[in-house]
Amino acid sequence: MAKATILTVDDDPGVSRAIARDLRRQYGDRFRVLRAPSGDEALEALRELKLRGDPVAVMIADYRMPAMNGVQFLEAAMDLFPRARRVLLTAYADTGAAIDAINVVDLDHYLLKPWSPPEENLYPVLDTLLELWDTAPDPDAPETRLVGHRWSAPSFAVREFLARNLVPYRWIAADEPEGTELLEAAGLTAADVPLVITTDGKTLHAPTEAELAERVGLSTSPASDFYDVVVIGAGPAGLGAAVYAASEGLRTVLVERSATGGQAGQSSRIENYLGFPDGVSGAQLTDRARRQAARFGAEILSATEVVAMEAAGAGRVLRFADGTSIGAHTVVLATGVSYRRLAGAHLDSFKGAGVFYGSASFEAANCRGDDVYIVGGANSAGQAAVYFSRYAGAVHLVIRGPDVARSMSHYLIQQIQAVPNIRIHTCTEVTAGDGSGHLEKLTLRDSRTGTVSTVDATWLFVFIGAEPQTDWLDGLVARDDRGFVLTGPDLPAASSRSPRWPLTRAPYHLETSVPGVFAAGDVRAESVKRVASAVGEGAMAVTLVHRYLEAQ
C-alpha cells in the first residue's frame, strides 16, 4: 500500500515551505507530505489520491486564504476523506474563528503560527492525530452490516450497542433492495429485524448484547478467576481506576454491562475537560482511555453484568448474570447513573422509536431538516442541542425551570444563544406522546399559564436527572435514600436498615460499608457530577486500594 499522505494548504509560499519541511523531517519516512497553494488545488490533489486509492491521514489548512478559506476547504475535503484528521493553521487574531470551526468541520486541532519549535508545538499534536487516524476504523475494510427498520426499537438497541462500543458497521434499511436481499438470504422477512452480518459472513438474528459482543470481537469472559482489583463500570471513573490500577502493576479487570464511556461517552463534545482546549467528543475520550487501560494490561469485559457481590473472608466474589463468577482482593464500584425516565408521559412504548434517553448522536444525520426536542437543562442536554442543531431544522430545548443558568455551564449557554435554530422553552414539561409505531406528536404544558399545546415531533431526547442502578447491592453495601453508595465519613449517616462499618479503624475516604470495596464517580453519594472529578475519584480509589492491600 502507498504511504498515507499529510496534506498542507497555505497560500503563503514561505509558510507552506516551512511546514512541509518540518513535516518531512519528522514524518517523511512513514508519510508522503504534499503541499498546495490554494483550496481548489488541494481538492484536486485529494480527488486524484481518491481515484488512486491512496489514504490521507492529516489535512492542515491555513484559515486565511483567498477564494476558499481553510474552514471551507476542510468542510469540502471531509466528503472525500472523512477519516483524515483536520487541523486549522491560524494566527492569534483568528483563534475565535478556529474555535467556531470546531462545530462546523469537527476540527481536531488548531495550530497557531508560528509553531516553532516544532518539537514542542507541532510534533506532539501530529503524533496524537496520526495515532488516532491509524487506530480509527477503516470504512473500506470488511464491516459488520446491520439490517433494520428506522423505527424498530430492537434495531436501535443493536445500533446503539455497536456505535457506543466503537464497532464499525453499516446500517441498511430493511425496505431497501440490499436489505431485502440480505433478509431473504438469511431466510427472514422484514418483520424479523434486526439482522446482523459479521465481517466473516455469519448472521445473527435479533442477538443479545452478549452474543453480539462475542461475535464482533469484544471480550466477554475473564482470563483469570482472581484479580487484585475488579472495576465495575467503564465510565470516566471506572476507566480512570483501570488505567491507574493496571499501570501500577495490579491485576485488573474492568467489567462493563453495556458500553464503555458511560454517560460521558454519549456526549457529542466535552469542552471543559482539562487538557482539551478544542474540546473532545465523548467517544474520542472513551476510546483513548480504553486503549490506554488495555496498553497497561487491564482486561476489559463488555456486555458482562455483575448481579451480586459476596464477602468471602478477605476476598470478594462477584457473580455475573450468566452464572459465572470471579474473585478479587478489592472492588471499585463505578457503575455511574442512568437517565431518569419521563414520569407520566407514557413514552415507554416509543423508546428507540423516536424517544431516546441520552444523546444517540449517531441518529443526527437522520434528523436532517426535522424538529428535534430535547428535555433537560444540564450540560449534557446543552451539548446535545448544539450538536443536533447542525442537522435539525430546529432544536427545541424544553426545561421545567425559568432558565438554564443554575444547571448549565456559562460557556455552553453562550454557545446556545449564538445558534439561531435553537429555541429554549422555559417552565415547560412534556406530558404525553402519541404516534402509530413511532413518536409523531408531543403534548407540552406551560406551568406558568397552564396552556397545553400539541406539536408534531418525531425526535425526543431526554436528559432529566439521573439515578444509580444499585439495587443489586441491597443488604450488602450502605446506600442513601436515593440509592447512591455511601462512603467514608458519610457511612455513619446510613439508615438503620443499611449495613454499618464493621471495623475498628475508620473507613478510607471512598471506602464503602464493606472493607476493600470502594465507590468512585457518579454512583457515590454527594459526588461532583463532572468528568474530571469522576476520573480523579477513579485514580484516588486505586491509591486507597494500595493502602488497603498493604494493611492486610
Side-chain angles (χ1 to χ4, degrees):
M1 180 181 288
K3 286 183 178 180
T5 295
I6 300 175
L7 175 69
T8 71
V9 192
D10 200 306
D11 64 313
D12 185 324
V15 174
S16 180
R17 285 194 298 270
I19 194 167
R21 178 199 63 222
D22 288 343
L23 291 173
R24 289 192 181 104
R25 180 185 303 157
Q26 183 74 3
Y27 305 107
D29 60 331
R30 294 177 289 146
F31 295 89
R32 181 186 183 192
V33 178
L34 295 180
R35 60 189 181 98
S38 70
D40 287 332
E41 292 185 50
L43 286 175
E44 185 60 32
L46 289 177
R47 292 187 189 102
E48 292 182 10
L49 292 169
K50 189 74 173 180
L51 289 173
R52 292 205 303 261
D54 293 347
V56 175
V58 175
M59 300 181 290
I60 305 173
D62 182 48
Y63 174 65
R64 291 196 178 188
M65 293 189 295
M68 180 186 295
N69 67 34
V71 175
Q72 293 167 332
F73 161 74
L74 290 173
E75 191 170 14
M78 286 170 64
D79 293 333
L80 292 168
F81 289 95
R83 282 185 67 225
R85 315 312 294 194
R86 294 172 286 277
V87 179
L88 198 64
L89 197 60
T90 180
Y92 182 79
D94 297 324
T95 53
I99 293 171
D100 292 340
I102 291 171
N103 290 323
V104 176
V105 296
D106 198 16
L107 196 69
D108 291 293
H109 203 88
Y110 67 86
L111 284 170
L112 291 177
K113 296 186 290 186
W115 56 86
S116 180
E119 291 78 11
E120 295 180 12
N121 299 321
L122 177 63
Y123 299 152
V125 172
L126 267 293
D127 287 345
T128 299
L129 295 182
L130 290 170
E131 181 185 2
L132 287 172
W133 173 81
D134 190 49
T135 57
D138 185 350
D140 296 325
E143 61 189 349
T144 297
R145 289 169 289 174
L146 169 59
V147 182
H149 288 304
R150 178 183 182 183
W151 300 121
S152 160
S155 298
F156 169 77
V158 173
R159 198 174 178 188
E160 181 183 39
F161 181 82
L162 293 173
R164 293 192 60 198
N165 280 288
L166 306 179
V167 177
Y169 72 95
R170 182 161 62 92
W171 166 261
I172 305 167
D175 55 1
E176 293 178 356
E178 184 181 2
T180 301
E181 291 174 2
L182 290 170
L183 287 169
E184 289 177 353
L188 303 173
T189 68
D192 296 323
V193 294
L195 170 68
V196 177
I197 302 99
T198 61
T199 55
D200 58 359
K202 304 296 184 181
T203 59
L204 298 171
H205 173 223
T208 65
E209 287 189 352
E211 292 170 339
L212 188 58
E214 186 176 357
R215 295 300 289 272
V216 298
L218 300 175
S219 179
T220 59
S221 300
S224 177
D225 58 4
F226 198 87
Y227 294 84
D228 291 321
V229 57
V230 175
V231 182
I232 307 175
L239 287 165
V243 166
Y244 281 93
S247 68
E248 294 169 13
L250 296 175
R251 291 171 297 166
T252 305
V253 61
L254 176 62
V255 183
E256 170 55 48
R257 69 174 182 173
S258 182
T260 51
Q263 287 187 343
Q266 296 178 277
S267 176
S268 55
R269 185 164 293 275
I270 302 167
E271 298 186 72
N272 58 352
Y273 185 55
L274 184 68
F276 291 89
D278 307 329
V280 61
S281 73
Q284 288 175 324
L285 187 63
T286 297
D287 182 48
R288 293 182 182 188
R290 184 168 60 182
R291 288 190 289 113
Q292 191 175 18
R295 183 168 65 86
F296 284 125
E299 286 183 47
I300 301 176
L301 305 184
S302 301
T304 304
E305 184 178 5
V306 179
V307 296
M309 179 172 63
E310 301 170 7
R316 305 290 173 254
V317 176
L318 298 168
R319 302 198 181 280
F320 300 139
D322 64 0
T324 61
S325 63
I326 57 174
H329 289 300
T330 60
V331 175
V332 176
L333 301 173
T335 50
V337 292
S338 299
Y339 287 113
R340 191 175 293 120
R341 297 290 190 261
L342 268 174
H346 307 294
L347 294 169
D348 286 348
S349 61
F350 301 120
K351 185 176 182 294
V355 176
F356 308 93
Y357 290 89
S359 176
S361 57
F362 54 85
E363 291 282 9
N366 294 325
C367 301
R368 195 175 299 278
D370 296 343
D371 279 15
V372 169
Y373 284 79
I374 296 174
V375 180
N379 278 7
S380 53
Q383 290 160 351
V386 172
Y387 180 76
F388 279 101
S389 69
R390 297 164 53 185
Y391 302 88
V395 174
H396 302 267
L397 189 59
V398 180
I399 63 172
R400 291 193 301 175
D403 58 57
V404 295
R406 288 193 297 179
S407 56
M408 191 178 294
S409 295
H410 179 65
Y411 82 90
L412 203 47
I413 296 174
Q414 289 182 309
Q415 285 187 16
I416 289 173
Q417 291 173 341
V419 179
N421 65 334
I422 297 180
R423 179 185 173 190
I424 300 179
H425 301 262
T426 58
C427 300
T428 303
E429 297 178 79
V430 174
T431 59
D434 192 21
S436 177
H438 65 87
L439 182 68
E440 295 176 332
K441 293 183 181 297
L442 287 173
T443 301
L444 307 179
R445 179 182 179 276
D446 188 318
S447 60
R448 293 165 297 192
T449 64
T451 302
V452 176
S453 59
T454 301
V455 297
D456 293 332
T458 52
W459 302 99
L460 176 68
F461 297 89
V462 181
F463 301 83
I464 53 163
E467 52 192 11
Q469 305 298 310
T470 57
D471 288 348
W472 63 280
L473 294 170
D474 191 33
L476 179 66
V477 172
R479 300 175 295 150
D480 67 12
D481 292 337
R482 295 181 299 160
F484 290 92
V485 176
L486 295 165
T487 60
D490 293 329
L491 283 176
S495 64
S496 59
R497 64 179 176 83
S498 296
R500 293 180 177 273
W501 180 248
L503 302 183
T504 55
R505 71 164 173 85
Y508 300 133
H509 183 65
L510 300 181
E511 199 166 19
T512 71
S513 58
V514 179
V517 176
F518 302 86
D522 290 359
V523 74
R524 190 177 68 84
E526 305 302 325
S527 65
V528 178
K529 305 301 189 278
R530 287 289 186 270
V531 174
S533 59
V535 173
E537 287 195 6
M540 185 192 301
V542 174
T543 298
L544 300 177
V545 163
H546 280 294
R547 187 181 301 177
Y548 173 84
L549 292 175
E550 290 166 359
Q552 296 306 299

